[in-house]
Structures are given as structure tokens and as C-alpha cells.
Amino acid sequence: MILNRQYFLIIIILLFNSCEEDNQQTCNLNGIQANIEATSFTEWKYFSVTDSGFVELSSMSDIEAQSSFDWDIAMMRNHFRTNSGLSGPADGGAYMDSTIWNCNSYNDYMEFPNSISFTQDSILSNIYQPWAHEDPDEAYTEDEGSNILENWGWFDIDDSYYFYYSHKKFIVKLPPDEDPRYIKLWPYQYYGDLGESAHITLTYDFITPSE
């Protein structure tokens, strides 16, 4: 299985290098990059999304988040929350396009149809509990979160639980409700430089609905 993954990674690297060589004169990714260490299996990290990066609200608890408009996005491992639905009081949410991001499509995506609907947070049923790994009935539990943003990647249980990426196009609606903000979001890396899991790299930028 490890060998298969190595072959897969080699192919991806070759394709990426080829595209990079073809586009390096015409395409540099334009966005705000954030590097998030969301390594806890039990505690969410809450962030305010700004035009200069994700600002962690380190004192925010899950109970406080239920009534606070101060946070925009929360992360735990590969999971996301938006301030909406069962996760928070705001009228946020997430939308997923059926196509995928690449450098050019990301840079060119400056506005979105104002007719799209944002899905608010509900219940995630795949929150992994490593201490209960041997018990199929206890290994996964439920928690509030965005089922839409779950689609940014998946664990391959036949390949040492390696996390693969979908590169789906996401738009996230952020507070305040009376004047909402919107970002295009591309989470594209789950591993750190040394292969550490839940070291997420993503890029985002603010966009507007079309007139």
C-alpha cells in the first residue's frame, strides 16, 4: 500500500511540475495563506477571518461559540465549523461547487452567483477517537460541524489512512448577518513539512456575489 501511495505521489508531483512549468509565467496563486495546527482530537480552534490571515480566538470555548458572533471558522483535525446552524448563532454556512480549484480557476473566481444556497452546520458522525480504535462502536462519535467542508478530502483506510484531497471549490459565508462576508476557500494540504497530520495549509480570499 505504501508503494502505491509513492507511485501516486510521484505522478501528482510530475503533473504539478509540468503545470507549474507551463504556467509559471502566467499564474501565481493569489490568495491569503493560512497554516493551521489543528492537532487535537477533542478541542476545536476558533478563528476570526481577516484580510491578513486567520486570527485564533484562543479563549473561545465550545459553549461560548454557541452564542458568539466573533468567530467565523473553527477547525479540529480535518473537520471544519462555520458560524451557523448547530455550531453557532450566525447565518453563515458553506457552498461547494462541482468543479475543482487549480491556480487559474482560483485566481479568476472573483464573484459567485447570488442565487446559490449556503448549507449551515449540522452533525458530523465521523469524529475519530483514536483511544477507542479497536472498538468499532466507539471509534467514531458525533459533533457539530460543516458536512459541506468535509468534502475537502478523505482518509483512505486501505492506504494507511492517508489523507487525500479533492480540491473542490468552496465558498464560505461569514458574519455579520446584516453585512455578510464571503471567502473562496481552498484547503490543499493536511500534512506538515515533516509529515505531521492536522497541519493544514489553505488559501482564501474575499469575494462578492454577482449583481
Side-chain angles (χ1 to χ4, degrees), residues 5 8 38-41 76-80 124-130 133 139-140 149-166 189-191 195-200:
R5 189 176 74 192
F8 177 82
T39 56
S40 174
F41 286 93
M76 183 178 72
R77 306 296 295 178
N78 60 300
H79 310 293
F80 282 83
L124 305 177
S125 58
N126 60 341
I127 306 298
Y128 180 54
Q129 302 181 102
H133 180 78
Y140 293 92
L149 291 172
E150 285 291 294
N151 292 293
W152 79 280
W154 73 96
F155 290 100
D156 188 342
I157 61 175
D158 295 321
D159 189 9
S160 303
Y161 287 88
Y162 191 79
F163 192 80
Y164 290 97
Y165 317 101
S166 69
Q189 181 60 263
Y190 181 70
Y191 297 99
E196 317 96 316
S197 62
H199 283 58
I200 296 123

Side-chain angles (χ1 to χ4, degrees), residues 60-150:
M60 181 74 67
S61 68
D62 290 347
I63 294 176
E64 292 171 327
Q66 287 289 327
S67 59
S68 174
F69 290 86
D70 293 335
W71 68 277
D72 299 315
I73 285 177
M75 299 173 66
M76 183 178 72
R77 306 296 295 178
N78 60 300
H79 310 293
F80 282 83
R81 281 177 174 170
T82 68
N83 196 334
S84 69
L86 297 180
S87 295
D91 188 30
Y95 167 80
M96 182 178 71
D97 194 289
S98 59
T99 55
I100 64 173
W101 292 125
N102 58 44
C103 182
N104 285 308
S105 67
Y106 180 85
N107 289 346
D108 293 342
Y109 202 99
M110 303 304 295
E111 61 180 21
F112 61 91
N114 58 17
S115 59
I116 69 171
S117 298
F118 291 89
T119 301
Q120 298 195 338
D121 285 16
S122 55
I123 290 293
L124 305 177
S125 58
N126 60 341
I127 306 298
Y128 180 54
Q129 302 181 102
W131 53 88
H133 180 78
E134 300 301 326
D135 185 347
D137 295 327
E138 298 293 335
Y140 293 92
T141 188
E142 296 182 343
D143 206 349
E144 297 87 0
S146 172
N147 279 288
I148 297 299
L149 291 172
E150 285 291 294

Side-chain angles (χ1 to χ4, degrees), residues 37-51:
E37 295 183 15
T39 56
S40 174
F41 286 93
T42 59
E43 296 181 1
W44 291 83
K45 284 189 172 184
Y46 292 88
F47 301 92
S48 172
V49 178
T50 75
D51 59 7

Side-chain angles (χ1 to χ4, degrees), residues 30-34 47-55 70-73 101 105-112 118 170-176 179-186 202-210:
N30 297 324
I32 305 162
Q33 182 172 297
F47 301 92
S48 172
V49 178
T50 75
D51 59 7
S52 59
F54 276 25
V55 177
D70 293 335
W71 68 277
D72 299 315
I73 285 177
W101 292 125
S105 67
Y106 180 85
N107 289 346
D108 293 342
Y109 202 99
M110 303 304 295
E111 61 180 21
F112 61 91
F118 291 89
F170 295 108
I171 305 171
V172 181
K173 182 181 179 182
L174 309 174
D179 187 20
R181 298 164 298 144
Y182 304 90
I183 59 170
K184 55 182 178 180
L185 178 67
W186 185 3
L202 57 84
T203 189
Y204 70 96
D205 207 353
F206 290 91
I207 57 174
T208 58
S210 58

